[in-house]
Structures are given as structure tokens and as C-alpha cells.
Amino acid sequence: MGQGQQERVPTSLAGAVAEEIGASLAPVDAALERLYPGDPGTRQPVHTVYVPGDRFTADTVREWGDQALAALDDHAPDAASFGAVLGMDGALAEDVYARVRAKLEREPVEDLRVDFEDGYGHRPDAEEDETAARAARLVAEAAAHGTPATAAPWAGIRMKCMEAAVRDRGIRTLDIFLTGLMRAGGLPDGLVLTLPKVTYAEQVTAMARLLDAFEKTWGLAPGRIGFEIQIETSQSILAADGTATVARMIQAADGRATGLHYGTFDYSACLGVSAAHQSSDHPAADHAKAVMQVAAAGTGVRLSDGSTNVLPVGPTEQVHAAWRLHHGLVRRALARAYYQGWDMHPGHLPTRYAAVFAFYREGFATAAARLRRYAEQAGGDVMDEPATAKALAGYLLRGLDCGALDEAEVARGSGLDRDGLEGFASPRRGGLTVSAQ
């Protein structure tokens, strides 16, 4: 054998066999690319704040932050008292408390939804028209001139649902809101819409058709406007034929679905759960969210937990009890990979951020060290695989995005800058072949 020639390894199958198999699986390859593109690799807000349409003002975001800071001043004025309420040790409590206060000053609300559904109710048409137009104006002004301290990075509306009794009203409110945004200069990058009380996939199809018509009217790119699907009925989880309806809904959105949001109280009531036991940690809630999670996995559609209706108001003892409940529910959700939830009161913001920050602070050192060993092929006491490296990188990126972690400490711990982390978290998007590392 001549120099530079490589001996052929013996095989048994003709090349045509592989070609035939490749041709037969080409439709499957295309379907996988279309149906399961993976996570978009962008920042996901840790929560959504709901504000009734008639209460939404230009000062809402700042007011929520100021009220949350006032709640800390009144009921946990230092790290030791706050940590004692939530069961954090001294060092962690000091770090988390400082970060929570800084977050409430810098960016108190990450995602804001102006509510025209349950939180708003039924009003005269002229009143809802005016409120929707005002919401558009305020959202447009915030997107153009606001700062994170005064305007949420993501904002939009929750319209009324596609059920017959309120369908026309919901469509009109959405039209007024989107038209107002366009007349004010265009749709903001952080626009988010929520379609509630979805029961049939056909309602999702109708929403997609509605947005397609709006895009054509204004000459927008097809698919420019996405929306969240709110899961609030048993029929949205399990269809009459026993199939998972929520999976159909994702497909019915024709690429426009951005999130699945669990509606704690409507869903619980639909199943007959008594009011005293309606909570995001009820077994019925766990089942619904598990189905949602599996249906959304790999599709690029993100999951959000619901809310608690126990408000941190009243005397300090009562506030502390509500804080402990909320903190525990958020931590429980994070452990189950529900990285977003709803907050219905400014007093929930301290414990939302405390739970999120502690979750990432506590696991940071181990996650960074494991990812460094994997990237450097250094070995260790845990044998990680590409999928684990992806999860580790995603964990660190989420911590960076919300303010729980700092870029310098993540770079020191993992040996990777943000581009490196994104390469592991989204290998196809970042052009990194993880398995080759």
C-alpha cells in the first residue's frame, strides 16, 4: 500500500442501502427540523406581572418596584431578617438580599401583561376601546423611551378568549391595541400577546389566522407576531379521544406559539378542586404542567407556571407567611424546570427574585466546574454527556440573564465567556458541535 493511502475497513452493506435509507427518512429529517427546532436561545423572563387594563399607567413598573422595596423596608429591613423568613444562611442571605434590592431598583418587572380578561372583566364597549388604545400608547412610549427601571423588557396584553360570548370583543381589543402600536411607530421587539382559556386547537388556528390578516394589512413579515397559549381547562390537556390537546395547539399555532402558561385557578376549578386547595403544587397542577412540558419540549415553546392568590399584605407575621409560601412555590417550580411564573402583587417580587437568585447562586459553583471539566475534557467524579453540558450552560445563562450571576464570576468558574456558553447551550445556533469537545 502506497504512502498516504489508508486501508479500507471491510463492510457488508452496499452504499445504495444507506442512500435508500437516507431517502426514506428525508421527510422525517425535515419534520424534526420543523417541529423541534429547539429552544430559541434568547432570554426568558422569570415572571409575568398581570395588571388590569384600567389600572395600567406609565408609572406601573416603577410603582411595583417601589412598593416591593417598601415591603422589604417594613417587613424585612436587612438581610438577616429576610433570610430568617426564607430559611437562608448568612452568606447566601446577604448576597441574595443585596441582589433583590438592586433588581427592584434596576429592573423590577421583566414581563408585563395588561389584562383585558379576568382581571378587567366586562365593561361597556366604548370604555374597553379607550382602555385598549391607551394601553397601546403607553406600551409604545415605554418601548421607545423607557428604561428597565420604568418599562418592562417584555410587554403586551391578555385579550378575552375565543369563546363565542366574548370572541368579538377580544378580537376588537387586540385589533385596537396592535393598530395603536403600528400607528405609534411599529411593533416593539418585546411585544407579547396572551390568548386565554383555550379549549380546542381550532381556537389557536383562529388566533393565528387573525394575526396573519393583521400582518398582511400592515405589510409585516409573515409570522412576525407570536402569542402565548394559556392552559386553563381540562380539555386543553386531554381531548375527548384521549390525546394530548396541548400538543395539537402548538402545531395549530403554525409557528407562532411562544409559550404555554398554566392558569392555576381556572384549571383547578375546572377539575372540581375546592378553593382552599387550588394551588400550583396540587397534584392536578403537576399533571397538567407535566403534559405541557413534554408537549413543548424541543419545540421552542416555553413553559410558565401560574400564580398564588395568597397576597403578602397585612401585619408582618401575615406577610412573612405569604412570603414563605410564595418562595417555596417558586423554588419548587424552578426545580421542575418551570423557569417562569405569574406575580399578581408587588409584594411577590421580593420572594420571586429571592427564590430565583438563590436557585442559581446555590448551584453556580458546581455547574460552572462541571462545565469547565467537560469543555476541557478533564474528567472528574461525574461523567457528563453533551446533553448535560447543554443543560449546564443553559443554567448559567439563565442565571446571568436575571441578575443572579455576574459575567466575571461565570467566566472564572467555567472558563467560558457568554459566546462559549451559548455555543454549548444552543450548539446548532452557535455552530459548536458539543460532542466534539
Side-chain angles (χ1 to χ4, degrees), residues 78-388:
D78 52 48
S81 58
F82 194 53
V85 173
L86 304 182
M88 293 184 191
D89 63 35
L92 180 62
E94 290 283 349
D95 191 353
V96 167
Y97 189 76
R99 289 176 184 272
V100 168
R101 292 197 71 98
K103 179 75 170 180
L104 294 174
E105 291 280 4
R106 182 186 73 255
E107 188 184 62
V109 175
E110 291 195 356
D111 184 25
L112 175 70
R113 207 70 71 250
V114 184
D115 191 15
F116 288 89
E117 207 234 352
D118 284 347
Y120 184 75
H122 299 280
R123 310 289 181 94
D125 283 339
E127 180 179 346
E128 184 159 340
D129 284 355
E130 182 180 352
T131 305
R134 183 171 61 88
R137 185 182 72 255
L138 294 176
V139 168
E141 291 174 354
H145 308 295
T147 68
T150 62
W154 291 271
I157 66 168
R158 176 170 70 166
M159 59 189 283
K160 290 178 171 63
C161 69
M162 285 290 180
E163 293 177 358
V166 294
R167 182 185 305 140
D168 289 346
R169 180 63 259 181
I171 291 173
R172 180 171 175 81
T173 296
L174 179 64
D175 189 3
I176 291 171
F177 178 72
L178 292 178
T179 299
L181 291 177
M182 292 301 300
R183 290 185 177 278
L187 303 182
D189 291 338
L191 175 67
V192 190
L193 305 174
T194 304
L195 179 66
K197 291 184 174 58
V198 181
T199 304
Y200 286 87
E202 289 81 358
Q203 294 167 328
V204 175
T205 300
M207 181 68 166
R209 290 179 58 189
L210 186 66
L211 296 176
D212 179 68
F214 186 88
E215 289 166 351
K216 289 177 178 176
T217 298
W218 284 91
L220 299 173
R224 165 65 179 85
I225 310 173
F227 62 97
E228 302 164 338
I229 302 169
Q230 200 165 350
I231 304 301
E232 300 179 271
T233 67
S234 61
Q235 295 91 342
S236 61
I237 294 296
L238 195 68
D241 62 1
T243 58
T245 322
V246 66
R248 296 183 193 169
M249 291 176 179
I250 293 173
Q251 297 310 309
D254 196 24
R256 295 181 184 272
T258 59
L260 300 176
H261 283 227
Y262 176 67
T264 305
F265 304 103
D266 281 279
Y267 187 87
S268 299
C270 181
L271 268 63
V273 179
S274 61
H277 298 283
Q278 291 176 0
S279 176
S280 61
D281 61 352
H282 190 279
D286 285 339
H287 172 261
K289 286 178 285 190
V291 174
M292 292 163 60
Q293 190 172 45
V294 173
T299 65
V301 177
R302 288 163 164 173
L303 204 67
S304 175
D305 200 357
S307 63
T308 176
N309 60 358
V310 179
L311 304 184
V313 297
T316 294
E317 182 178 354
Q318 187 171 318
V319 171
H320 286 181
W323 273 354
R324 279 190 290 270
L325 173 65
H326 185 239
H327 180 266
L329 291 174
V330 175
R331 282 299 299 253
R332 184 180 189 273
L334 290 168
R336 286 157 174 76
Y338 311 144
Y339 297 115
Q340 187 174 351
W342 297 3
D343 289 324
M344 310 300 288
H345 188 274
H348 286 140
L349 298 186
T351 38
R352 168 68 61 183
Y353 291 127
V356 170
F357 292 167
F359 178 75
Y360 292 109
R361 298 300 305 170
E362 290 171 346
F364 158 63
T366 298
R370 283 178 67 180
L371 186 57
R372 176 187 280 272
R373 287 196 298 269
Y374 180 85
E376 297 176 353
Q377 291 291 279
D381 58 353
V382 178
M383 187 175 67
D384 287 324
E385 297 183 351
T388 306

